[in-house]
Amino acid sequence: MSTIYLISPISGHGHLDAYSRLYSRALLELGHRVVLIAPEDGGTKDYLARTAPGYAASFHFISSVHLDKQLGLPEHGSRAHLPMLQRARMVLGEEGMSGIAHRVAGRGVDALKEYTPALARRLGVERGQAARKMPFADFSRRVGLAQKMTGLDGDLAFFLYLDVMAEDRRDLAQFERNWNMPWGGILFHARKSDRLRQAGPEKYFFSPRMRGAKFLVPETLGTYRDLLPALDFALIPDVADVELADDSLDLAATIRDRARGRCVVLQIGTIAPHKGTLELLNVMKHADPSQFFFAVVGRPYLEKFDGQAETLRQAMSDPAENVLFHPSFIEDERDYNAVLQAADVIYAVYRDFPASSNVLTKAAYFNIPILVSDRHLMGERVRRYQLGATVREGDTAGICRSLEALKHFDRQSGAFLDYTADHSLDALKKVLGPTVELWRKGGTDGDMETRSDDAVIRRTA
């Protein structure tokens, strides 16, 4: 039995915890032992006890917070009280010059957003773009200690969120000196082809024991394969936790009671500008209140709305009779699913959103039609699998017409079954099974070449 170290750099953030649960279960059912390292287990132990009780002895969880205390690593955010020069020295030591540059860029982004918001929107910058990246070297120390604590040498490490990891060469060099197993992970937001060819792939792909990455978006998959032919890059299903609790959440019942037979249109998840919430407010004003009931459920990040935050704040404080706001995070995924089941239509007309979203997987599993933007991957998948309808972003009249049509959508459509099968736990295991074997045994032998600022970087694995 091989041991897989499953690493989630962050937890408590929506479906990232679901990935800890689902990937743990998939790997266990494939016959591997799993050691999950994350700040919190995200309910993984309880989930496995309910859904895969026979694998309890093969699963271990160790909190990265606990490991950091044992290692004497500073807590996240504990530098705020330190003088700027001291903080800069700490960043330089942990992340090198790229960490300093990243923070300077972040200051520039925030200033641009604060003083020239219109220009910032045109340039497409968002506050928080320069959030702190996590050093790989810290994880080599964490995993090293976890191996001593469990007595389990790792055969492979799988990072669930490569997007938050640093790319500093100094950090990676320190990581490689103390790392003892092959590794790879998921890259949710891969670089677009033009940037990829200009700046090159993420630097961690040149780590000697790096084996490859799984993508949720196929757009630049081919470019990564072309630039890094010795690594394994492949698409992976966008799985979702679709478990339901024995008792339905009161919120779900409240939504159905208040709807009084009207079509329930649900927006659920974190409430941010790219989710199209402001556009939905306009739809609420134009839709027939005798036919539609709107529910907006999730934590609102008002600071991201900048000058339009007051519009959302007023809408939440004084909603119309056919509107319900529940402005808080739903802790238990089973309760989240219960609220989802209360909907007749899911509203997901995201603004310029090229990524994947497992709300499609949930919608298909629960037989609920979904309305999305006609652009990018979500629009393509909704059209291909006939999961609902697509509409032009910001087209209030078009959205209202689509909602009217979706009231009569055939919820027993076989297309739901097709999408559910393609993004199921079984589909995930079909990808993970061969991946683990390939990554454990190699996959990086030989030379790799990529272009970075018109210079060729060569590395022999």
Side-chain angles (χ1 to χ4, degrees), residues 181-199:
M181 70 182 88
W183 66 282
I186 304 175
L187 186 58
F188 282 72
H189 303 285
R191 288 175 178 167
K192 293 184 178 180
S193 293
D194 53 353
R195 185 185 173 211
L196 184 57
R197 293 192 180 278
Q198 290 174 3

Side-chain angles (χ1 to χ4, degrees), residues 39 44 49 71 74 77 132 144 246 267 278 302 317 320 336-337 381 386 408 411 447 451:
T44 303
L71 293 165
R132 177 178 181 254
D246 295 333
Q267 182 182 64
L278 293 174
L302 290 171
S317 63
Y336 181 108
N337 294 334
R381 286 180 170 172
Q386 300 177 11
H408 310 289
R411 292 181 61 154
D447 291 343
R451 185 163 297 277

Side-chain angles (χ1 to χ4, degrees), residues 346-457:
I346 297 171
Y347 178 91
V349 188
Y350 299 162
R351 183 197 302 169
D352 193 20
F353 185 77
S356 179
S357 173
N358 69 1
V359 71
L360 295 181
T361 309
K362 288 177 179 284
Y365 182 87
F366 292 115
N367 291 355
I368 306 169
I370 187 167
L371 181 62
V372 304
S373 166
D374 60 1
R375 301 198 293 157
H376 302 305
L377 182 62
M378 289 179 69
E380 175 192 330
R381 286 180 170 172
V382 167
R383 286 190 296 269
R384 189 198 322 163
Y385 286 89
Q386 300 177 11
L387 302 178
T390 65
V391 67
R392 183 164 54 88
E393 297 165 25
D395 182 2
T396 299
I399 292 173
C400 289
R401 288 193 299 270
S402 295
L403 292 177
E404 185 66 39
L406 289 176
K407 282 173 55 181
H408 310 289
F409 192 87
D410 179 10
R411 292 181 61 154
Q412 302 307 313
S413 167
F416 286 133
L417 296 176
D418 292 340
Y419 194 87
T420 298
D422 288 347
H423 295 270
S424 64
L425 190 70
D426 285 339
L428 175 64
K429 290 193 292 187
K430 288 179 181 178
V431 177
L432 277 184
T435 294
V436 169
E437 295 308 309
L438 176 66
W439 288 6
R440 282 178 56 206
K441 295 175 182 177
T444 60
D445 292 333
D447 291 343
M448 288 198 315
E449 290 186 0
T450 187
R451 185 163 297 277
S452 178
D453 296 328
D454 296 326
V456 173
I457 300 174

Side-chain angles (χ1 to χ4, degrees), residues 148-169:
K148 291 179 181 177
M149 292 170 62
T150 61
L152 299 172
D153 292 332
D155 294 281
L156 177 72
F158 194 96
F159 282 76
L160 282 176
Y161 209 37
L162 288 172
D163 303 67
V164 304
M165 301 305 297
E167 293 185 53
D168 183 71
R169 294 180 187 275

Side-chain angles (χ1 to χ4, degrees), residues 22 29 33 104 115 141 164 178 182 230 234 265 275 295 332 348 354 385 390 432 442 456:
L22 293 167
E29 291 182 356
R33 185 185 293 111
V104 171
Y115 297 112
R141 298 178 65 189
V164 304
N178 299 296
V265 179
K275 293 292 187 74
D332 194 316
Y385 286 89
T390 65
L432 277 184
V456 173

Side-chain angles (χ1 to χ4, degrees), residues 262-263 265 287-294 322 400 403-404 407:
R262 289 172 288 187
C263 177
V265 179
D288 185 348
S290 69
Q291 297 294 315
F292 293 96
F293 184 85
F294 295 90
N322 68 324
C400 289
L403 292 177
E404 185 66 39
K407 282 173 55 181

Side-chain angles (χ1 to χ4, degrees), residues 247-259:
D247 298 320
S248 180
L249 184 70
D250 289 343
L251 177 60
T254 298
I255 291 172
R256 298 305 306 183
D257 289 345
R258 285 193 51 186

